[in-house]
Structure formats: C-alpha cells, structure tokens
Amino acid sequence: MQRVISSIFSDQGDNLRPKIAGLYAILIGFNVAAWAWALMAFRQHPVLLGTALLAYGFGLRHAVDADHIAAIDNVTRKLMQEGKRPVAVGLFFSLGHSTIVVLASVAIAATAMAFRNRFDGFQSVGGVIGTLVSALFLLAIAAMNIVILISVCWTFQRVKAGAPYVEEDLNMLLAGRGLLARLFRPMFRLIGRSWQMYPLGVLFGLGFDTATEVGLLGISAAQASHGLSIWSILVFPALFTAGMSLVDTTDGILMLGAYGWAFIKPIRKLYYNMTITLVSVLVALLVGGIEALGLIGGQFSLNGPFWDGIGALNDNFGTIGYLIIAVFVSSWIASAVIYRARGYDRLEVNAG
C-alpha cells in the first residue's frame, strides 16, 4: 500500500493515467469522508449543514484565487522542464494553505470570543507576511521568465531558419541558466519536487483571510448549538480543505496536460514555451504587481482613483483567478491552432 501511494505522488515517469486516477481516488475519498463527518456531526442540527456547505464553497472559491493559479502553474512548468511529471503540485500547495486554516480555526474555536477580540492585530501581521511572500515569489518568477522568453524567441527563430537544434542547450535554457536567472536560482532551488509546494502553501496561507472566515463560521456554529464540541467545529476547515484541494489539484493536472502536449516534438517544445512563457510573464506581473501595490496602498493608507482601483482588484482575486484560467486555456488552444495552421510540425529540425 505504501508503495502504491509513493508511486502516485512521485514526480518520475510518464505513466500518468494511473497516478492521476489514484490521486482523484484519494481526493474523492477525502471529500466523501468530510461530508460523511458533517452529516454525522450535524444529524441533530440540520441547519448547520447549510453552514457546512458554505465552508465547502469557500474552499472551492478560494482555489481559483489568482495567486494560487499563478504559483501552481509556474512551479508545474519548472518541474516539467527538469524532466519531471508532477501530478500533485496543486494538492500539496492547497494542503499547505489549509494547514493555516485548520490551526487558526482550532485556535479561534478553543479561545472563542476572547481570542476573536484580539485577532485583528494578528491578522494584520499575518496578512503583510503572506502578501509579501506571494508578491515577491511571483515577481521573481516574472523576472526569470522574461529572460527565458527572450532566449527562447531567439532560439525559435534560429531553428526556423535552419540552425541546428540542441536539446541539452534548450533544457539548460528552460531550467533557468543565465545571468539574471542565477540571481533567482536559490528561490527556485527550494522547489524541486511536488511535496515542496507544501511549505510554500503554508507561507501563502499566512494572509489569514479564509482562515478568519472559516474560523468565524466555527464560532457562530458553537454559539448557535450552545456547546458544539471542537471536533464538530473542525468539520468546517475539513470541508474547506476538501473543496480547495480538489480544485487546486485539477488546476495542476490541467497545466501538466498542456505542457505535456508541448514537449513531444522539439519545434513544438520551442513554440509552445515561447507562447506560454509570455502568458506566464504577464500573469505573474499582473498578480504580483496587484498584491505589491495593494500592500503598499494599505500600509500607507493611500487614496485616489488608482489606489481605490488596486484595492478593488485585491478584493476580487477570485474573479481574477477565473479570468487567468480562461487566459491559459485560450492560449493553449490558440497556440495549437496557429501551430497547425502554419505547419510548424512539418519543419525539419537538425539535431545538433
């Protein structure tokens, strides 16, 4: 059993279908177990099932936040460029984020109203740390990808003109070898396997926004039922985790499929990396920039149409997340159509 689970979460090999099937079996089992727990815990309080559904909906919605999608996509692409096939990047990221939700929910439920009255200051500090980590990570990814984009465009034009294609040179390029890339290499070295997304998810979760929401749901439930046990209150973060991990995992697997299509042929690998790296740069700059500006505006109490607009964007990250998903899917489809229409697959590539 241990060997089967280990193979599911392994980043090695191309036997993806059994891995994905096993991963979804675990996720579906987790979702079913969470809802079974809710039904048993609230069988005498059916009104609380509505609160449980709300917690689950918070998890589904939070998974499409822009920072989640950008981080999962870029790390998936990085690991694939290193020759790996990571199916669990999104899962480990969501589990790391959910750890903060669970811990905060337990703390809030255990200390009830006394802790909640002091939570504003704790939330403010955590929000600054979480937003700062998220923004710096995404802006560093954008800077790295700009360097890679310029080099890939140059290589693509050379190969189209008949220059020899050297697989190892391209792999080194895509892995981030270069002057500016060396400056950011320590950050990217921290994530070499899917499971290493867990601590990054923990750092991203320090914003405490969703932890506060789910934690307050637990407090409300405890008040409504006049003494709900802490184990029953834990149903809410469990449902939140189940919903978020399902969507985050699906996001990572969709990106894995997109990049897998691109890596079959050398010219296809060049072309797709050129187009998708451009999109990744734009998304990382957009999300990281909005987070950084929002942090600056909030800390210095800046006002005006520009800063009000930045604040509105930060308050609607879920909507931005849906748009980013649409951008990536549209880019993948458009890239495939243009690639076929121009007959790049028929180009003869000289191996160097």
Side-chain angles (χ1 to χ4, degrees):
M1 183 65 180
Q2 184 178 357
R3 181 177 296 179
V4 173
I5 295 177
S6 178
S7 65
I8 291 174
F9 293 108
S10 171
D11 292 337
Q12 305 302 321
D14 296 324
N15 198 15
L16 294 181
R17 288 188 179 181
K19 289 184 180 182
I20 293 173
L23 195 60
Y24 274 109
I26 293 173
L27 283 171
I28 292 172
F30 178 39
N31 276 258
V32 170
W35 276 110
W37 184 10
L39 290 172
M40 289 189 294
F42 304 142
R43 60 183 181 277
Q44 296 180 350
H45 306 281
V47 68
L48 293 180
L49 289 175
T51 309
L53 182 61
L54 186 59
Y56 189 72
F58 276 138
L60 294 173
R61 190 214 64 80
H62 188 67
V64 296
D65 272 2
D67 55 348
H68 280 229
I69 294 170
I72 292 169
D73 173 77
N74 280 282
V75 171
T76 297
R77 189 162 69 86
K78 173 188 177 291
L79 295 181
M80 286 200 69
Q81 289 164 356
E82 295 173 355
K84 300 171 183 175
R85 294 297 179 266
V87 299
V89 168
L91 175 61
F92 282 112
F93 182 84
S94 64
L95 290 178
H97 189 99
S98 298
T99 298
I100 300 299
V101 174
V102 174
L103 292 177
S105 297
V106 171
I108 291 173
T111 55
M113 297 302 295
F115 184 82
R116 189 182 67 170
N117 292 335
R118 301 178 182 178
F119 195 76
D120 289 343
F122 187 48
Q123 179 187 4
S124 177
V125 174
V128 171
I129 295 173
T131 303
L132 186 62
V133 169
S134 174
L136 290 178
F137 181 79
L138 294 175
L139 291 175
I141 285 175
M144 172 79 90
N145 281 336
I146 288 172
V147 176
I148 294 174
L149 175 62
I150 294 171
S151 299
V152 172
C153 289
W154 180 74
T155 304
F156 181 75
Q157 295 300 326
R158 287 182 65 251
V159 171
K160 274 179 59 180
Y165 169 84
V166 182
E167 177 75 15
E168 181 61 25
D169 287 350
L170 179 63
N171 288 338
M172 290 181 65
L173 168 65
L174 295 178
R177 276 67 173 183
L179 178 60
L180 185 58
R182 291 191 182 94
L183 299 177
F184 295 103
R185 189 180 299 173
M187 176 178 289
F188 285 86
R189 277 182 175 173
L190 293 177
I191 301 178
R193 297 183 181 180
S194 294
W195 68 265
Q196 292 169 346
M197 281 293 280
Y198 179 87
L200 183 66
V202 171
L203 291 174
F204 271 50
L206 289 175
F208 282 102
D209 295 329
T210 51
T212 306
E213 293 169 352
V214 177
L216 291 178
L217 283 173
I219 291 175
S220 299
Q223 292 175 333
S225 60
H226 300 288
L228 194 67
S229 70
I230 191 170
W231 299 109
S232 296
I233 292 172
L234 281 173
V235 170
F236 300 115
L239 287 169
F240 176 89
T241 301
M244 184 167 66
S245 60
L246 185 63
V247 177
D248 273 342
T249 301
T250 300
D251 176 41
I253 289 174
L254 287 174
M255 295 305 168
L256 185 68
Y259 296 135
W261 170 88
F263 284 15
I264 294 174
K265 283 193 172 186
I267 193 69
R268 184 183 297 178
K269 185 175 181 178
L270 274 169
Y271 175 79
Y272 186 73
N273 269 282
M274 182 175 62
T275 56
I276 205 64
T277 300
L278 174 60
V279 177
S280 296
V281 167
L282 295 176
V283 169
L285 285 175
L286 174 67
V287 178
I290 289 174
E291 287 186 329
L293 290 172
L295 183 61
I296 293 171
Q299 292 301 304
F300 293 98
S301 301
L302 301 176
N303 297 311
F306 175 78
W307 296 107
D308 291 344
I310 292 295
L313 289 174
N314 274 281
D315 292 338
N316 291 277
F317 251 38
T319 302
I320 297 175
Y322 288 115
L323 292 175
I324 291 175
I325 290 177
V327 167
F328 275 118
V329 172
S330 300
S331 300
W332 183 24
I333 294 174
S335 178
V337 170
I338 295 172
Y339 182 88
R340 293 179 184 277
R342 297 194 175 182
Y344 289 141
D345 247 353
R346 295 191 294 272
L347 288 176
E348 294 293 333
V349 177
N350 300 318

